[in-house]
Amino acid sequence: MDEERRIPPFAEDTLALLTEAAGGTGEELPRDEAVDAITDVEHFTEADAEDALAQLESRGYIYFVEEQVRITPTDE
């Protein structure tokens, strides 16, 4: 994977949670539902969720359209 797009393990876990909650790559999920899906996992706090979303967005794994979280499609 491209070094610039590398994310920490907790952000990888978050991406997996979002993908599952959104029903697959490219689907959208309301931001509040995304945070809820992340914080439903015992070891994630709301601050963790917001940090993970920020990291995923800054590295291009997700993007926001209004208050919707969208997962960036990949070639994989």
Side-chain angles (χ1 to χ4, degrees), residues 8-65:
F10 80 92
E12 287 180 7
D13 293 344
T14 302
L15 183 58
L17 290 169
L18 292 175
T19 300
E20 183 178 324
T25 302
E27 297 295 321
E28 66 182 41
L29 188 65
R31 185 184 183 97
D32 59 340
E33 286 183 30
V35 171
D36 288 346
I38 298 165
T39 57
D40 280 348
V41 175
E42 191 172 302
H43 62 278
F44 284 116
T45 65
E46 190 167 337
D48 294 333
E50 293 296 339
D51 183 42
L53 289 173
Q55 287 196 38
L56 291 170
E57 180 183 28
S58 72
R59 289 180 176 86
Y61 286 91
I62 64 170
Y63 59 102
F64 295 96
V65 176

